[in-house]
Amino acid sequence: MTEARITHIGGPTTLIEAAGWRLLTDPTFDPPGRRYSFGWGTSSRKTSGPALKTSELPPLDAVLLTHDHHADNLDTAGRALLPSADVVLTTPSGAVRLGGTAHGLAPWDTWRLESPGRPAIEVTATPARHGPPLSRPLVGEVTGFALRWEGQRHGALWVTGDTVLYDGVREVAQRVDVGTVLLHLGGVRFPLTGPLRYTMTAAPALELCRLLRPRTVLPVHYEGWSHFQEGRRAVEAALAAADADLSARFTWLPAGTPLDVTV
């Protein structure tokens, strides 16, 4: 039985230990209290700190960075951590900004993590749109990541990235057999832009999961920042009204405590 050990550190940040590899998603390790500008008059305050310190992390083989230009996905301490990883996989524009070991992947591009004595992990960039139609020039590039390696029994491990539900994300359900999904939620909204949402709320998230039919759904990116407008309670209420089979697929990761997930 193949397992991945996943530790939720806070916000979108997770440590994925699988097939002998250690991968970190969207590093955010600053303490709470600071307010960060997201551009165009939008900002957010970090309301809770990470469950682990950077000093408590194991050596990292790779960082999977869905985007580099918003502090709730890469804050100051997280940025300082990047050089310690062998490779940083991110968007093409993010790789240009970061330099160093960063490599940019356009949607459906693939990168192979390879090392003697370990099965290779195939990392495929997946489409994401961090807001409503036509918002990409304002909010910038975002990507998701689908991870495949030899021995998986239930399909790929997919990190959605910060995205709304749109045709590009639905395409993942058509092209990738997803067994486990790290589902970015939060219903991000800002006073300046009114009702517009920049990540999924519960309803579209459940619609996506009905398309995917994954074995395991692991929600992340729903707590710890003031611009997250929909938390766990709202998602659980939506799940209570959904069919029992779908609800049973959701597992809430305990902060800072590793969880072994059958993949």
Side-chain angles (χ1 to χ4, degrees):
M1 186 176 294
T2 302
E3 290 188 335
R5 175 163 289 184
I6 300 178
T7 306
H8 187 207
I9 296 171
T13 310
T14 60
L15 176 65
I16 301 170
E17 298 174 276
W21 296 88
R22 297 183 178 99
L23 316 176
L24 187 72
T25 68
D26 288 353
T28 55
F29 289 91
D30 285 357
R34 179 177 166 188
R35 180 168 289 277
Y36 301 78
S37 172
F38 290 167
W40 297 93
T42 61
S43 66
S44 181
R45 184 172 61 86
K46 191 170 187 178
T47 59
S48 62
L52 297 177
K53 301 175 182 178
T54 56
S55 60
E56 297 176 290
L57 295 175
L60 298 174
D61 296 300
V63 169
L64 306 178
L65 181 59
T66 65
H67 57 303
D68 69 300
H69 51 283
H70 293 154
D72 60 320
N73 297 83
L74 182 67
D75 60 16
T76 303
R79 191 176 295 269
L81 179 71
L82 295 183
S84 69
D86 292 343
V87 65
V88 177
L89 300 179
T90 189
T91 63
S93 59
V96 171
R97 287 187 291 267
L98 293 171
T101 61
H103 292 270
L105 300 176
W108 303 115
D109 284 351
T110 294
W111 181 275
R112 283 177 66 84
L113 297 171
E114 296 180 300
S115 178
R118 292 182 283 183
I121 294 186
E122 182 181 270
V123 182
T124 300
T126 58
R129 194 184 74 204
H130 201 352
L134 306 179
S135 64
R136 187 170 283 120
L138 297 179
V139 299
E141 280 189 310
V142 180
T143 189
F145 300 99
L147 312 180
R148 301 180 182 90
W149 61 88
E150 185 179 351
Q152 285 177 322
R153 297 180 57 192
H154 301 291
L157 192 164
W158 180 35
V159 182
T160 66
D162 288 8
T163 186
V164 295
L165 180 60
Y166 76 112
D167 287 345
V169 171
R170 292 186 182 95
E171 187 181 1
V172 177
Q174 299 169 1
R175 297 180 57 162
V176 182
D177 178 19
V178 175
T180 302
V181 55
L182 280 167
L183 183 63
H184 287 219
L185 296 173
V188 167
R189 182 168 55 84
F190 299 98
L192 181 69
T193 54
L196 298 178
R197 299 284 183 167
Y198 295 88
T199 60
M200 280 184 279
T201 57
L206 296 190
E207 179 184 339
L208 175 61
C209 290
R210 289 187 182 97
L211 294 174
L212 293 170
R213 306 307 296 180
R215 186 177 190 273
T216 306
V217 182
L218 305 172
V220 296
H221 194 269
Y222 60 86
E223 41 63 53
W225 291 79
S226 63
H227 66 307
F228 293 170
Q229 299 296 310
E230 187 177 88
R232 175 173 175 172
R233 185 175 300 178
V235 178
E236 288 181 324
L239 284 171
D243 61 275
D245 177 67
L246 180 62
S247 180
R249 296 170 191 260
F250 275 69
T251 296
W252 298 89
L253 292 163
T257 302
L259 181 72
D260 290 332
V261 177
T262 301
V263 295

